[in-house]
Amino acid sequence: MDVVPLGPGFAAELRGVTLADVASDDAAHAAARAAFEEHSALVFRGQEVTDELQLAFSRRFGPPEVTKVGSQGTGTHFVILTTIGPDGKVVPPDHRVALRNKANQLWHTDSSFKRVPALTSILSARIIPARGGETEYVSTCLAFERLDPALRKKLENSFAWHDYAHSRSQIAPGLATPEERAALPPQCWRMVWRNPANGRGAIYLASHAYAVEGMEPAEGKKLIDELMAAATAPDTSYLHQWRSGDVVMWDNRATMHHGRPWPVNETRTIVRTTISATEADGLETMRPPSRQAAE
Ligand SMILES: [Fe+2]
C-alpha cells in the first residue's frame, strides 16, 4: 500500500489497496486505520463499489449510524444524496432536496448534532456531474495548531452547542422539519477533540454550532464565526474532484468539509455511510463534565 499525500499537510490517496482488502484483511485494515489517524482524509480511486462492500468496509472502523428521519435512506445504514426526485427526474432548485444540497455547501463536520457524533464518513460517487460538485476539506487539527496557545487552552475547556435546525435555518426557514427537530435536540461538545491515537487536538465545530456554553449568545457566536473563518482560511483546503469509482473517507473529529455547487440540471448521486465515534476514539472526553457521569 502506498500513501500519496494530496493536500496541504493532510489528506492522502491510498494506492495498491481496495475497499475489499480493508474489509477482509486485518493487515490492510490496520494500515488504512493508521493512515486515517495521520492524514484525516483518505481517497481510494477506481473502486468497484456496491452498497454491501461499502458497508463491509465501513464497519471495520466502528458501528454504522442508522440514517435519521427526513433523509433518503432513513432506517438503513446508507444516506443517499441524490438530485433525482421520486419521479426519476432532476429536482427543481427550490425543491427540499435541492435546498438540502445547498445546506451541505456550508462548512461542517457530519453528525455533530447527534447524540453520538461520527468518527468517519465514507462517501462513494455513483453518478457524478461533468463539472462542479467537488467536496472541499480542511484540517481542523492543523487549524487548531495554528491558533495561539492561550486560545488553544481556552478552547480545550470550552463547550459548544450544535443543532441541525440551526444550520438548516441558514438556508431556508423551516428546512428542518418538526419531526427532525424532535428527533435531533441540540447537543453540547467540547470545542477540541483530542485524538487518542496521536494526542493531537482539533477544533470541533460545524455550521451546526450556534452557541458557546457560559458565553453571551452574541459573544459565543462571534467566537464560533472567528474559529470557522480560521479553520477555512485560504490555501488550507484539499479539493476533491470526483471521478467515477472514487471513495473518500474522512475523520469528522479533525476535518470540516462542504460540497460545491454543480449545474442544476445535472444528476449527482453519492452514497454515504457514517461510523459513530466510540470511547476508543475519544468520545467520552468530548462530553461536558456534568454529563460524563450521566450518560
Ligand atoms: Fe457532510
Side-chain angles (χ1 to χ4, degrees):
M1 188 183 92
D2 288 325
V3 181
V4 181
L6 294 174
F10 78 107
E13 180 183 342
L14 297 194
R15 292 188 187 156
V17 65
T18 65
L19 263 59
D21 295 335
V22 175
S24 62
D25 184 283
D26 287 346
H29 167 252
R33 177 77 198 212
F36 169 80
E37 303 288 8
E38 185 178 349
H39 299 281
S40 302
L42 300 179
V43 174
F44 301 78
R45 300 266 194 198
Q47 304 295 307
E48 286 178 30
V49 183
T50 61
D51 286 355
E52 293 69 28
L53 177 58
Q54 184 169 339
L55 186 57
F57 169 88
S58 302
R59 279 186 191 280
R60 274 294 199 154
F61 296 86
E65 277 188 8
V66 174
T67 302
K68 68 166 193 62
V69 294
S71 293
Q72 198 173 332
T74 182
T76 74
H77 293 307
F78 302 96
V79 180
I80 299 141
L81 298 153
T82 182
T83 51
I84 304 172
D87 60 357
K89 293 183 186 145
V90 175
V91 297
D94 59 347
H95 191 280
R96 185 170 284 270
V97 165
L99 292 174
R100 281 164 186 259
N101 283 326
K102 222 170 151 189
N104 229 352
Q105 291 167 23
L106 303 171
W107 284 105
H108 65 282
T109 192
D110 293 330
S111 302
S112 69
F113 52 83
K114 293 185 180 165
R115 285 182 179 84
V116 182
L119 168 68
T120 177
S121 300
I122 297 101
L123 211 56
S124 66
R126 304 293 176 94
I127 305 170
I128 47 173
R131 60 200 159 84
E134 305 89 348
T135 306
E136 187 173 18
Y137 298 89
V138 288
S139 166
T140 57
C141 182
L142 293 173
F144 180 67
E145 291 166 357
R146 290 195 299 267
L147 299 176
D148 69 69
L151 182 54
R152 287 207 295 262
K153 198 165 177 212
K154 174 185 161 146
L155 295 179
E156 295 259 21
N157 294 302
S158 298
F159 296 83
W161 286 91
H162 297 245
D163 185 3
Y164 177 79
H166 172 75
S167 57
R168 270 48 199 166
S169 71
Q170 293 170 57
I171 302 301
L175 187 55
T177 62
E179 194 186 18
E180 286 173 319
R181 285 166 188 265
L184 302 165
Q187 301 295 321
C188 188
W189 302 115
R190 191 180 296 275
M191 293 176 77
V192 178
W193 197 320
R194 215 162 258 292
N195 182 335
N198 54 28
R200 292 176 76 188
I203 299 170
Y204 191 64
L205 275 182
S207 56
H208 318 300
Y210 65 97
V212 177
E213 183 72 14
M215 285 177 87
E216 288 298 319
E219 196 193 351
K221 187 66 177 50
K222 185 166 168 275
L223 176 60
I224 289 170
D225 290 347
E226 285 169 1
L227 290 168
M228 292 293 285
T232 58
D235 304 320
T236 62
S237 71
Y238 164 63
L239 184 70
H240 186 74
Q241 292 173 294
W242 290 96
R243 286 188 226 153
S244 180
D246 281 359
V247 175
V248 181
M249 73 179 295
W250 62 89
D251 188 342
N252 283 302
R253 302 169 300 176
T255 57
M256 285 197 292
H257 62 280
H258 70 166
R260 301 247 297 222
W262 64 92
V264 288
N265 57 338
E266 284 203 48
T267 304
R268 183 183 193 248
T269 300
I270 53 182
V271 175
R272 192 180 103 193
T273 39
T274 315
I275 298 303
S276 294
T278 64
E279 204 167 333
D281 307 313
L283 175 59
E284 285 310 302
T285 66
M286 293 301 289
R287 297 189 198 280
S290 60
R291 286 158 189 251
Q292 282 175 5
E295 296 204 27

PDB file of all heavy atoms in Angstrom, residues 104 108 110 257 272, ligand 1:
ATOM      1  N   ASN A 104     -25.578  21.560   2.524  1.00  0.00           N
ATOM      2  CA  ASN A 104     -24.341  20.786   2.511  1.00  0.00           C
ATOM      3  C   ASN A 104     -23.164  21.620   2.050  1.00  0.00           C
ATOM      4  O   ASN A 104     -22.007  21.235   2.210  1.00  0.00           O
ATOM      5  CB  ASN A 104     -24.526  19.622   1.525  1.00  0.00           C
ATOM      6  CG  ASN A 104     -24.107  18.321   2.117  1.00  0.00           C
ATOM      7  OD1 ASN A 104     -23.541  18.281   3.201  1.00  0.00           O
ATOM      8  ND2 ASN A 104     -24.363  17.256   1.402  1.00  0.00           N
ATOM      9  N   HIS A 108     -18.964  22.104   7.446  1.00  0.00           N
ATOM     10  CA  HIS A 108     -19.476  21.340   8.587  1.00  0.00           C
ATOM     11  C   HIS A 108     -18.676  20.066   8.792  1.00  0.00           C
ATOM     12  O   HIS A 108     -17.882  19.664   7.938  1.00  0.00           O
ATOM     13  CB  HIS A 108     -20.949  20.971   8.367  1.00  0.00           C
ATOM     14  CG  HIS A 108     -21.154  20.037   7.221  1.00  0.00           C
ATOM     15  ND1 HIS A 108     -21.135  20.452   5.909  1.00  0.00           N
ATOM     16  CD2 HIS A 108     -21.352  18.694   7.177  1.00  0.00           C
ATOM     17  CE1 HIS A 108     -21.336  19.409   5.115  1.00  0.00           C
ATOM     18  NE2 HIS A 108     -21.460  18.328   5.861  1.00  0.00           N
ATOM     19  N   ASP A 110     -19.792  16.039   9.903  1.00  0.00           N
ATOM     20  CA  ASP A 110     -21.046  15.282   9.931  1.00  0.00           C
ATOM     21  C   ASP A 110     -21.408  14.853  11.349  1.00  0.00           C
ATOM     22  O   ASP A 110     -20.547  14.449  12.128  1.00  0.00           O
ATOM     23  CB  ASP A 110     -20.926  14.024   9.049  1.00  0.00           C
ATOM     24  CG  ASP A 110     -20.788  14.374   7.574  1.00  0.00           C
ATOM     25  OD1 ASP A 110     -21.320  15.420   7.145  1.00  0.00           O
ATOM     26  OD2 ASP A 110     -20.156  13.581   6.853  1.00  0.00           O
ATOM     27  N   HIS A 257     -15.828  19.902   6.026  1.00  0.00           N
ATOM     28  CA  HIS A 257     -15.948  19.780   4.572  1.00  0.00           C
ATOM     29  C   HIS A 257     -17.198  20.510   4.127  1.00  0.00           C
ATOM     30  O   HIS A 257     -18.078  20.837   4.937  1.00  0.00           O
ATOM     31  CB  HIS A 257     -16.011  18.309   4.155  1.00  0.00           C
ATOM     32  CG  HIS A 257     -17.193  17.575   4.711  1.00  0.00           C
ATOM     33  ND1 HIS A 257     -17.221  17.096   5.998  1.00  0.00           N
ATOM     34  CD2 HIS A 257     -18.399  17.269   4.171  1.00  0.00           C
ATOM     35  CE1 HIS A 257     -18.380  16.518   6.215  1.00  0.00           C
ATOM     36  NE2 HIS A 257     -19.140  16.611   5.133  1.00  0.00           N
ATOM     37  N   ARG A 272     -23.485   7.715   1.203  1.00  0.00           N
ATOM     38  CA  ARG A 272     -22.653   7.896   2.394  1.00  0.00           C
ATOM     39  C   ARG A 272     -22.965   6.831   3.426  1.00  0.00           C
ATOM     40  O   ARG A 272     -24.135   6.522   3.650  1.00  0.00           O
ATOM     41  CB  ARG A 272     -22.918   9.272   2.999  1.00  0.00           C
ATOM     42  CG  ARG A 272     -21.893   9.664   4.051  1.00  0.00           C
ATOM     43  CD  ARG A 272     -22.208  11.038   4.606  1.00  0.00           C
ATOM     44  NE  ARG A 272     -22.821  10.893   5.912  1.00  0.00           N
ATOM     45  CZ  ARG A 272     -23.445  11.884   6.556  1.00  0.00           C
ATOM     46  NH1 ARG A 272     -23.562  13.079   6.002  1.00  0.00           N
ATOM     47  NH2 ARG A 272     -23.956  11.673   7.746  1.00  0.00           N
TER      48      ARG A 272
HETATM   49 FE    FE B   1     -21.300  16.308   5.133  1.00  0.00          FE
END
